[in-house]
Amino acid sequence: MLRTVQQSLCCHGNRCLSNFAPAQRIIGHEKNLWVEYSALAIKHKAVNLGQGFPDFTPPEFLKEAWSDAVNVPSAHWYTRGQGYPRLVNALSEMYSPELGRQIDPMTEIMTSVGAYESLYAALTAFTDPGDEVILIEPHFDSYSVVVEVCGGKPVYVPLKPDGDPTNANNWVLDKAEFEGAFTSKTKLLMVNTPHNPIGKLFSAEEMEFIARTCEKHNVIIVSDEVYERCVFPGHVHHRIANAPGGWERTVTVGSAGKSFSMTGYKLGWAIGPEELISKLQTVHQTAVYSAPTILQEVIARCVEREIELKGQEQSYHSQLSKIMEKGCSEIISACGDAGLSVVEPFGGYFILVDTSPLGLEFDTSQVAYDIQCAQWLTEHMKLAGIPLSLFFGKNKHLSEKYLRLCFAKSEQTLKIGGDIIRDIVAK
Ligand code: PMP
Ligand code: GLN
């Protein structure tokens, strides 16, 4: 005890500040996109179409699930670290037909604190210093940060428009460029479909090509599919785990927050072969041990309800895909009225808007156009969005003048946002 106290005092008897310096691995990662842009929206009292969170009231069945869950004594206790039995059983029942195999609830599923934790666990479980991780960009910001915190090297491969850029599915990988990114150091590849921020759905052919390339190089795939239930009606969500050679090398990540439109829940899961999931479990049990039990009881009930109502009108997932499509069409219509073109998405929460017709001029010698434009719109038009360049590590030129807007919002928020968009050009 005495030694500890002495060690933390410097020769002047004060606490030695150098002991308080951050570990190297977190230096350079102090800023966070969501912290910064949420604060900006609040500061300017802007309508927040920036951060991706639905602001509508919870569906009735969710409230019922909570009032029933409260009466389950074990829902208030610690639970099994790798996942609450009722939830992993329900997830196994839901995903087994979707993945075309019987998923073992005890060994092939892990629940986590949000999809964030599953992504963190997957990346830290497999990335050693010097390992290369391929990130398809634009990409969700946490991927590159976690890779760098692990001492790994993000290797960026862009999605680029091939044909009409206003169709999200035309943003594709250049096959030769993608294959050229693999080296003997490549350990892992991140995939995200439905895609944040483009709104692209990868096709079965694209998934097959990616899976075959990963198989050839014996690379692990982490597939972030948090928007899997937000695919617009008539479109199909293709899972890379279902591609030939996909299952044995893929960790598929899902999110209760996204699947039931309550992003504050922070409950997620990872599904994959035991050989991979057991490694995520090592990180998970050390970091948090388990996700909150009562939340898992509530979500188990919601998943069970979905299984029962599958394909029916009352199924929340069928409603959700229509809600998302409707929200998206509100923004498209407002942008159309304002003469702004968009990259039309087929799923997810987001749409990219091309701000060039606004004719705004900024000095871009220090700060990118889209960043200044997003800040200007938040401050002067009270419309908060996210600049696309923040989702790029290398190919920022592709982001140019795009602003990401979130359409997973209440009718009221979309109406206010839509009115502002219609007003922008007039002003
Ligand atoms: N992946 C993507 C692509 C996301 O947009 C988000 C946003 N929240 C997450 C993961 C994290 O999900 P969760 O809130 O369940 O942690
Ligand atoms: N996933 C959300 C988005 O892309 C934000 C995540 C967060 O707020 N940390 O907007």
Side-chain angles (χ1 to χ4, degrees), residues 41-175:
I42 293 168
K43 180 177 165 198
H44 295 292
K45 299 190 173 61
V47 54
N48 195 351
L49 301 187
Q51 195 183 25
F53 68 95
D55 60 353
F56 28 86
T57 42
E60 278 312 308
F61 71 83
L62 214 110
K63 295 186 198 162
E64 279 163 29
W66 272 106
S67 55
D68 292 342
V70 150
N71 293 314
V72 177
S74 61
H76 301 266
W77 309 339
Y78 271 146
T79 188
R80 180 176 168 269
Q82 194 167 325
Y84 185 61
R86 183 167 179 173
L87 178 58
V88 289
N89 282 324
L91 290 171
S92 154
E93 205 177 331
M94 170 172 270
Y95 280 93
S96 291
E98 296 177 353
L99 287 164
R101 64 195 312 117
Q102 189 53 44
I103 306 294
D104 184 330
M106 294 300 143
T107 58
E108 296 181 326
I109 302 181
M110 182 189 91
T111 61
S112 57
V113 179
Y116 257 103
E117 199 224 335
S118 280
L119 294 168
Y120 184 86
L123 287 165
T124 40
F126 297 110
T127 312
D128 266 330
D131 284 346
E132 294 180 0
V133 175
I134 299 181
L135 303 181
I136 297 172
E137 62 178 3
H139 69 83
F140 186 57
D141 62 318
S142 81
Y143 307 163
S144 52
V145 178
V146 182
V147 171
E148 284 173 1
V149 163
C150 294
K153 181 181 164 208
V155 174
Y156 301 102
V157 186
L159 290 168
K160 290 186 281 202
D162 180 18
D164 180 5
T166 65
N167 177 325
N169 287 350
N170 285 346
W171 290 63
V172 293
L173 291 169
D174 175 302
K175 286 190 176 172

Side-chain angles (χ1 to χ4, degrees), residues 28-49:
H29 301 299
E30 298 79 5
K31 276 184 150 188
N32 177 282
L33 154 58
W34 311 111
V35 173
E36 197 178 326
Y37 278 82
S38 301
L40 194 71
I42 293 168
K43 180 177 165 198
H44 295 292
K45 299 190 173 61
V47 54
N48 195 351
L49 301 187

Side-chain angles (χ1 to χ4, degrees), residues 253-306:
V253 175
S255 162
K258 300 294 179 332
S259 299
F260 295 101
S261 309
M262 295 294 132
T263 49
Y265 282 14
K266 297 304 297 179
L267 184 73
W269 46 83
I271 301 178
E274 181 178 1
E275 198 189 350
L276 297 178
I277 296 297
S278 59
K279 315 296 190 307
L280 273 69
Q281 169 62 12
T282 304
V283 180
H284 171 73
Q285 71 201 10
T286 316
V288 295
Y289 174 65
S290 72
T293 313
I294 193 151
L295 209 49
Q296 298 195 63
E297 168 74 30
V298 169
I299 296 302
R301 288 166 182 267
C302 297
V303 174
E304 286 164 8
R305 180 181 180 276
E306 279 311 301

Side-chain angles (χ1 to χ4, degrees), residues 322-339:
K322 291 182 198 137
I323 296 170
M324 290 301 125
E325 189 185 42
K326 184 161 180 291
C328 179
S329 66
E330 299 288 335
I331 300 290
I332 293 180
S333 140
C335 289
D337 292 348

